[in-house]
Amino acid sequence: MELKLVQTDSYKALLKANKDWATKRLAEEPEFFNKLAAGQSPEILWIGCADSRVPANEVTGTRAGEVFVHRNIANVIVHSDMNMLSVLDYAVNALKVKHVIVAGHYGCGGVTAALSKKQFGLIDNWLRHIKDVYRIHSHELDAIADHTEKVNRLVELNVVEQVHNLCRTTVVQNVWKERTDLEIHGWVIDLKTGLIKDMNVTQKDAHSLGYVYELNEEAV
């Protein structure tokens, strides 16, 4: 059931929609909420953009309990972000997820803002991480004349770089020392079609990360 919010009563509409949803779920599957309350065992962690147009379950057609989710502006992996690291640690070590997906989307407002010189406020400090991605790939990006194409290419490159950043965390690398079934993926969602583009940057171990990024327990 699609919910269309009217600005004046959007809050009450949410509560009504919740009741309607719960009633419908019980009618379709009487044990649905009993099973949901019993615990979760998702195999997927989704690290996506906070944009309201790209909810993980909606995009992937999955049910409640099937995807563990963390979202922030422009799906950025920052090594000092204790929120993201805590979600990641719980997902891979407690829930034992097998797939972590970094999911960006074309037309991302955060990426668009990062390509400009305008100041937006506190968020500028966050967007700096995307500007760093631009710096790394500036030669390619500066050769793209169309602004929309440039934004969308930076969206793709940002996903690729964030996959690498994720793999470089001690959390992921330590899991790879214990088990071989954890894979890191990079996706881009096309809002015009609803389809996902796999960036084909899946990582299964730390061996391709580079000398100083592949961590071990040996002292130098």
Side-chain angles (χ1 to χ4, degrees), residues 171-185:
V171 174
V172 169
Q173 293 199 39
N174 286 335
V175 170
W176 276 334
K177 294 174 185 177
E178 300 294 328
R179 56 189 178 97
T180 60
D181 61 346
L182 177 64
E183 298 183 357
I184 314 297
H185 312 274

Side-chain angles (χ1 to χ4, degrees), residues 3-22:
L3 172 65
K4 294 184 178 180
L5 298 181
V6 179
Q7 188 172 3
T8 56
D9 61 357
S10 58
Y11 179 71
K12 291 182 179 179
L14 288 173
L15 294 174
K16 182 181 184 304
N18 167 253
K19 290 181 179 180
D20 293 343
W21 170 76

Side-chain angles (χ1 to χ4, degrees), residues 79-91:
H79 290 83
S80 58
D81 182 355
M82 294 304 297
N83 186 358
M84 182 277 299
L85 290 174
S86 297
V87 171
L88 176 65
D89 182 72
Y90 184 75

Side-chain angles (χ1 to χ4, degrees), residues 25 73-74 81 91 95 98 123 162 209 215:
R25 294 304 298 140
I73 299 297
D81 182 355
L95 297 176
K98 296 180 179 179
I123 195 176
Q162 303 315 320
L209 297 180
L215 304 177

